[in-house]
Amino acid sequence: MQKSASPARRSGVTVKPHETLQCCGPIDDLLDAELFKALGEPTRLKLLSCLAKCGRACSVTELTECCAVDLSVVSRHLGVLERAGILTATKEGRTVYYAVRYKDLRDAFRAIARAVEDCRPKRAASKRQTRRAGTSR
């Protein structure tokens, strides 16, 4: 069995272990597995989409109409989204209303996007840019 090259060597660049440990610290805390697990299920995505488009809190019964899924299954999916911090739940009598936590979700994705951008390798100046810089004295 042939041994595969490590990820650091596949790209032709050798990365020292201490460099990877120092790299991109904030992203480690932002990549929340619970958030991505909650969003990684098609029915939950459909429910989130329905709620977001509705723009208001909806009951479990209303949301059941969005999906061809049983009420108990919808309720369970909404609970997962709530525990992940994507939705809020408000109980009025026996009815539970769910709403999107727009600001929290937006802020989480923006923070992740910034952290990913910060991890992106800085591009070295191209030979053309280096030549131009050397001739423009």
Side-chain angles (χ1 to χ4, degrees):
M1 177 183 255
Q2 186 178 8
K3 199 173 184 181
S4 65
S6 71
R9 291 184 182 256
R10 279 188 214 131
S11 64
V13 176
T14 302
V15 177
K16 297 174 186 156
H18 68 278
E19 290 174 343
T20 57
L21 292 175
Q22 293 173 358
C23 174
C24 308
I27 198 167
D28 297 324
D29 296 330
L30 294 170
L31 293 176
D32 178 19
E34 291 304 312
L35 173 67
F36 286 98
K37 277 198 287 188
L39 293 173
E41 206 284 328
T43 302
R44 289 195 283 269
L45 285 175
K46 176 103 172 140
L47 289 166
L48 177 59
S49 175
C50 288
L51 264 172
K53 289 186 284 187
C54 190
R56 64 173 176 80
C58 295
S59 69
V60 176
T61 306
E62 290 175 298
L63 290 166
T64 301
E65 296 172 12
C66 276
C67 306
V69 180
D70 192 47
L71 183 96
S72 65
V73 175
V74 169
S75 184
R76 194 174 31 204
H77 282 309
L78 292 168
V80 170
L81 291 168
E82 181 193 9
R83 286 188 296 281
I86 298 167
L87 304 179
T88 60
T90 308
K91 193 168 186 176
E92 293 180 16
R94 292 179 49 163
T95 306
V96 180
Y97 291 91
Y98 288 89
V100 177
R101 297 176 71 169
Y102 293 100
K103 184 182 179 312
D104 294 338
L105 194 56
R106 179 200 66 207
D107 291 350
F109 283 127
R110 284 186 178 162
I112 291 167
R114 279 192 301 271
V116 168
E117 184 67 25
D118 290 345
C119 285
R120 194 175 98 193
K122 308 300 183 244
R123 295 181 82 180
S126 69
K127 290 179 182 178
R128 179 181 282 172
Q129 289 172 330
T130 306
R131 270 188 265 135
R132 281 187 198 160
T135 58
S136 60
R137 291 183 187 171

